Amino acid sequence: MTSARVGPVSTPRRRRPSVGDVARVAGVSVGTVSNVLNKPELVSPETRDRVEGAIKELSFVRNGRARQLRQGSSTTVGALLLDIRNPFFTDVARGIEDRLAVDDLTLMLGSSDDDPRRESKFLRLFEEHGVLGLLVVPTTHETKHLAAIQERGVAVVLLDAPPGAAGLSSVWLDDVAGGALAAGHLLEQGHERIVFLNGPHSIRQCQDRREGVDRAVLAVGQDPARVVEEITLPRLDAAAGEAALAAWVAAHGGAAPAAVFCVNDLVAIGVQRALRRAGGFALLSGCAVVGYDDIDIAAELAVPLTSVRQPRHEMGHEAAELLLRQAAGEAEQHTVFQPELVVRASSVPGG
Amino acid sequence: MTSARVGPVSTPRRRRPSVGDVARVAGVSVGTVSNVLNKPELVSPETRDRVEGAIKELSFVRNGRARQLRQGSSTTVGALLLDIRNPFFTDVARGIEDRLAVDDLTLMLGSSDDDPRRESKFLRLFEEHGVLGLLVVPTTHETKHLAAIQERGVAVVLLDAPPGAAGLSSVWLDDVAGGALAAGHLLEQGHERIVFLNGPHSIRQCQDRREGVDRAVLAVGQDPARVVEEITLPRLDAAAGEAALAAWVAAHGGAAPAAVFCVNDLVAIGVQRALRRAGGFALLSGCAVVGYDDIDIAAELAVPLTSVRQPRHEMGHEAAELLLRQAAGEAEQHTVFQPELVVRASSVPGG
DNA sequence: ACCTTGCGAGAAAGCGGTTTCTCGCGGCAC
DNA sequence: GTGCCGCGAGAAACCGCTTTCTCGCAAGGT
């Protein structure tokens, strides 16, 4: 470990001043202090000045929990994403945050890591916390538990997921179309076999992308079972992609597959890494790779990555928008975005 | 826009059941319900069963705000980072979260975008929210306002920043050493001029890295003023790096600088992009580029990037650790990590 | 039979704000 | 001079939960 520690001195800890303290210093009642804070126009200028002076003097900061408890309101929304380290989700998160900032709301983030236990832990935490609403990338198809939360008065929007239980708004992207786009592109390039590094089908996106792949294969009159070799990854990051492809290469005497479709760009980056390690640039450039998400760095890689683009920021923004509407009592609403194929060197011969 | 909307149906909204409701259904007092929730061993099994039945029946979820208000405790900590989209910060955030999860605490994240106004807005929000503690990447050298917050009873730890006002713990990395490492490496490669794409010196890290660069230059008996050409970027992302380097190339008749040191990897990625666009792979491979942070994808770029590595996850973890200690009344403490140079193709001739 | 224990449950007082209701007081019309 | 109105400030209830304190009651000891 390359670190060092130093440090003496102790830290004081005092009770925070309350409206009562402010009232005492200003020589008014607590109700008046509250009025200064919330409805200054109801208070005479002199009194207001005295109170504001006292607030400064004590450096009073009001207790938002008590405030919200009384008002029954809330200013935070919770978002439960699959993995905050995945650039796809941070871009989505930023989209959410940007929309919330307009209304002076703040965001609590959690990563479920696609683990239902972590998901339910965070959901409970958020709900107890009294969030205004919840944006959830669900870990399973089953969304009844989310509908139940909404029944209890917390607006819930499904994020990166199709419409689920009745009453829940949703924002997602047509992953069947996305999968078809990717596979169609590879087939067009003349590939007859496609290795598909996918996540478990319990993840909706993974299942849908597979369905899209199958449709594309059927569309050219081929048999998916013969064309597609699907490998299920335990996790959807670069390390998992690298391991899976290294195993494939090892199992095929050092040869690379002709075409690989990866369930996301991180996995694709891992695949490229595995190819480079196994056979250098030659192997790498002989293998067509397509990713998914089109994260910012996809274009900057050793071999720029062909990818299926999702409007990440916009998806987050729209999800927050729907959440606020739903919280305002509007009806549920479903927005579906369309994917777009971005072709780069990783999938075309001259790359 | 590639999206569509649909949706009818209305959303109900009911008052959440309270302990009082549970008590009524179970035929006990609210105090007993509370005891079932918090000290089940004090309640007789039959009563406990009745209460738990009522909780299930009403699907009661306790109101954490009221709970924390009464207890005076809190289970969330706030972290104010510069930009959540920068992988450096998400890795730090993940380190924080991993440490907090051990104690069942949750994280609220905010991005200040290096804007003091956004910073103070978030600080107020967090403080009103009653967070247990605050991890802050400060936007200025001035940390008195943070010390003032700690005076009011919220533990504060400076993150990615050197010790500031008395009483505040801190976790940072020796950026002077980091800057020296990068510049020393470029000088060793025989470069006599270094273009340094830096952020404004009002950002401590930027100032320190510059100082490190100067020291390295002085160490080989050269004059920093002659060797280093520093360009100040308005933002520290890929777009800013690309724009700055494109301008440099344009101003030098299409020639690339021999050596570029970038204040972070995103900027370096932008630089590589600019070089590729201006002169293709030839120009790119003729220019030595060094980045900072060593984010995960640095190794996967078209030209793998030499970078100064920071232990991101560990820094976040340690910051959370210090925060919890400080919140527990322990004395302030300062941890400083050491950077490490990771040499890749982007800075060495044979790359 | 009587007094002490001790256990389990209820009543009530907060936590720190907001909000409603009441009330005193000065100004104004009659 | 009396009555009314309205403004500004205070008193008190309340949000939902925890926690302390009290008390009834059954068991156990003598």
Side-chain angles (χ1 to χ4, degrees):
Chain A
M1 230 267 282
T2 53
S3 73
R5 281 175 184 159
V6 266
V9 189
S10 80
T11 313
R13 186 62 37 99
R14 298 199 313 263
R15 193 180 64 82
R16 282 167 65 156
S18 71
V19 275
D21 300 321
V22 173
R24 202 169 312 120
V25 170
V28 299
S29 76
V30 295
T32 302
V33 174
S34 176
N35 279 335
V36 171
L37 257 27
N38 304 299
K39 304 167 187 164
E41 70 281 4
L42 295 185
V43 183
S44 71
E46 313 85 63
T47 313
R48 201 190 309 152
D49 285 352
R50 275 221 313 291
V51 172
E52 280 167 352
I55 288 177
K56 273 250 161 59
E57 185 185 333
L58 298 175
S59 59
F60 164 79
V61 176
R62 83 177 139 198
N63 183 327
R65 286 188 301 235
R67 172 189 169 81
Q68 293 178 22
L69 172 59
R70 180 60 232 251
Q71 295 192 149
S73 70
S74 178
T75 61
T76 79
V77 332
L80 192 48
L81 311 175
L82 291 189
D83 181 7
I84 203 192
R85 277 170 310 188
N86 184 333
F88 170 75
F89 289 112
T90 56
D91 288 347
V92 170
R94 190 58 197 234
I96 296 170
E97 200 183 50
D98 286 350
R99 174 61 188 89
L100 295 181
V102 173
D103 288 14
D104 265 317
L105 303 173
T106 48
L107 182 58
M108 279 181 77
L109 277 182
S111 297
S112 67
D113 294 343
D114 195 47
D115 173 354
R117 295 220 331 268
R118 270 179 72 94
E119 176 184 278
S120 70
K121 179 192 136 191
F122 270 112
L123 290 178
R124 190 178 46 70
L125 236 33
F126 283 150
E127 193 176 357
E128 288 193 356
H129 203 283
V131 294
L132 167 62
L134 231 28
L135 294 156
V136 183
V137 181
T139 60
T140 74
H141 289 204
E142 188 50 74
T143 53
K144 279 204 293 260
H145 60 300
L146 298 174
I149 292 177
Q150 180 153 281
E151 280 294 304
R152 281 178 234 130
V154 180
V156 176
V157 170
L158 300 175
L159 180 47
D160 197 27
L168 302 178
S169 288
S170 66
V171 171
W172 64 308
L173 179 126
D174 186 344
D175 281 298
V176 175
L181 228 40
H185 170 67
L186 287 171
L187 294 169
E188 244 174 52
Q189 302 295 311
H191 298 292
E192 301 186 335
R193 299 218 52 185
I194 298 174
V195 171
F196 181 17
L197 297 188
N198 200 6
H201 284 199
S202 56
I203 301 180
R204 194 270 314 164
Q205 291 87 333
C206 300
Q207 194 181 18
D208 284 359
R209 288 173 200 174
R210 170 62 202 245
E211 190 184 329
V213 167
D214 287 356
R215 287 201 194 166
V217 172
L218 290 169
V220 297
Q222 301 282 322
D223 175 13
R226 192 158 300 160
V227 171
V228 182
E229 176 184 357
E230 180 167 345
I231 298 174
T232 301
L233 304 175
R235 287 188 330 283
L236 305 183
D237 56 21
E242 180 175 1
L245 208 85
W248 197 99
V249 169
H252 291 74
V260 182
F261 172 36
C262 301
V263 70
N264 74 25
D265 287 346
L266 293 180
V267 169
I269 289 173
V271 163
Q272 291 190 337
R273 193 189 297 158
L275 289 170
R276 202 158 8 119
R277 293 211 175 143
F281 205 77
L283 199 65
L284 176 51
S285 58
C287 171
V289 180
V290 175
Y292 205 105
D293 289 347
D294 192 32
I295 59 181
D296 281 338
I297 44 109
E300 317 296 337
L301 297 171
V303 176
L305 187 65
T306 294
S307 192
V308 177
R309 175 176 294 167
Q310 308 200 57
R312 304 176 292 280
H313 187 277
E314 204 176 344
M315 286 171 74
H317 194 280
E318 173 75 2
E321 177 70 33
L322 293 195
L323 185 76
L324 297 182
R325 291 204 198 144
Q326 183 127 346
E330 283 190 33
E332 72 183 281
Q333 199 171 311
H334 304 276
T335 302
V336 41
F337 288 88
Q338 290 301 320
E340 192 181 327
L341 185 72
V342 181
V343 178
R344 299 200 182 86
S346 74
S347 67
V348 293
Chain B
M1 232 266 281
T2 52
S3 73
R5 280 175 185 159
V6 266
V9 188
S10 79
T11 313
R13 186 61 38 97
R14 299 198 313 263
R15 192 181 63 83
R16 281 168 66 155
S18 71
V19 275
D21 299 321
V22 173
R24 200 169 313 118
V25 170
V28 299
S29 75
V30 295
T32 301
V33 174
S34 175
N35 279 336
V36 170
L37 256 29
N38 304 299
K39 304 167 187 164
E41 70 280 4
L42 294 185
V43 182
S44 71
E46 313 85 62
T47 314
R48 202 190 307 152
D49 285 352
R50 276 221 312 290
V51 172
E52 280 168 352
I55 288 177
K56 274 250 161 59
E57 185 186 333
L58 298 174
S59 60
F60 164 79
V61 176
R62 81 176 141 201
N63 183 326
R65 287 188 302 236
R67 172 188 168 83
Q68 293 177 23
L69 172 59
R70 178 62 231 255
Q71 294 192 150
S73 71
S74 177
T75 61
T76 78
V77 330
L80 192 49
L81 310 175
L82 292 189
D83 181 8
I84 203 193
R85 276 169 311 186
N86 184 331
F88 170 75
F89 289 112
T90 57
D91 287 347
V92 169
R94 191 59 197 231
I96 296 170
E97 202 184 49
D98 285 349
R99 174 62 189 87
L100 294 181
V102 174
D103 289 15
D104 265 316
L105 303 173
T106 48
L107 182 59
M108 280 181 76
L109 278 181
S111 296
S112 68
D113 292 342
D114 196 46
D115 173 354
R117 294 221 330 270
R118 270 180 72 93
E119 176 183 279
S120 69
K121 179 192 135 191
F122 270 112
L123 290 177
R124 189 178 48 70
L125 237 31
F126 283 150
E127 193 176 357
E128 289 194 355
H129 201 283
V131 293
L132 168 63
L134 231 29
L135 293 156
V136 183
V137 181
T139 60
T140 74
H141 289 204
E142 188 51 75
T143 54
K144 279 204 292 259
H145 61 299
L146 297 174
I149 291 176
Q150 179 153 282
E151 280 295 304
R152 281 179 235 128
V154 180
V156 177
V157 169
L158 301 175
L159 181 48
D160 197 28
L168 302 179
S169 289
S170 65
V171 171
W172 64 308
L173 178 127
D174 187 344
D175 281 298
V176 176
L181 229 39
H185 170 68
L186 288 170
L187 293 169
E188 243 175 51
Q189 303 293 312
H191 298 293
E192 299 186 335
R193 299 218 52 186
I194 298 174
V195 172
F196 181 18
L197 297 189
N198 200 7
H201 284 199
S202 54
I203 300 180
R204 193 268 317 165
Q205 290 87 331
C206 298
Q207 193 181 19
D208 284 359
R209 288 172 200 178
R210 171 61 202 246
E211 190 185 328
V213 168
D214 287 356
R215 286 203 196 164
V217 172
L218 290 168
V220 296
Q222 301 282 323
D223 175 13
R226 191 158 302 158
V227 172
V228 183
E229 176 185 357
E230 180 168 344
I231 297 174
T232 301
L233 303 176
R235 287 189 330 284
L236 305 183
D237 56 21
E242 180 176 2
L245 207 85
W248 197 99
V249 169
H252 291 74
V260 182
F261 172 36
C262 301
V263 71
N264 73 26
D265 288 346
L266 294 180
V267 169
I269 288 172
V271 163
Q272 292 189 337
R273 193 189 298 160
L275 289 170
R276 203 158 8 119
R277 294 211 174 143
F281 206 75
L283 198 65
L284 175 52
S285 59
C287 172
V289 180
V290 175
Y292 206 105
D293 289 346
D294 192 33
I295 59 181
D296 281 337
I297 44 110
E300 318 296 338
L301 297 171
V303 177
L305 187 64
T306 295
S307 191
V308 177
R309 173 177 295 168
Q310 307 200 57
R312 305 176 293 279
H313 187 276
E314 204 175 343
M315 287 171 74
H317 194 280
E318 173 75 3
E321 176 69 34
L322 294 195
L323 185 77
L324 296 183
R325 291 205 198 145
Q326 184 127 346
E330 283 191 33
E332 73 182 277
Q333 199 171 310
H334 304 277
T335 301
V336 40
F337 288 88
Q338 291 299 321
E340 191 182 329
L341 184 72
V342 181
V343 178
R344 298 198 183 87
S346 75
S347 67
V348 292

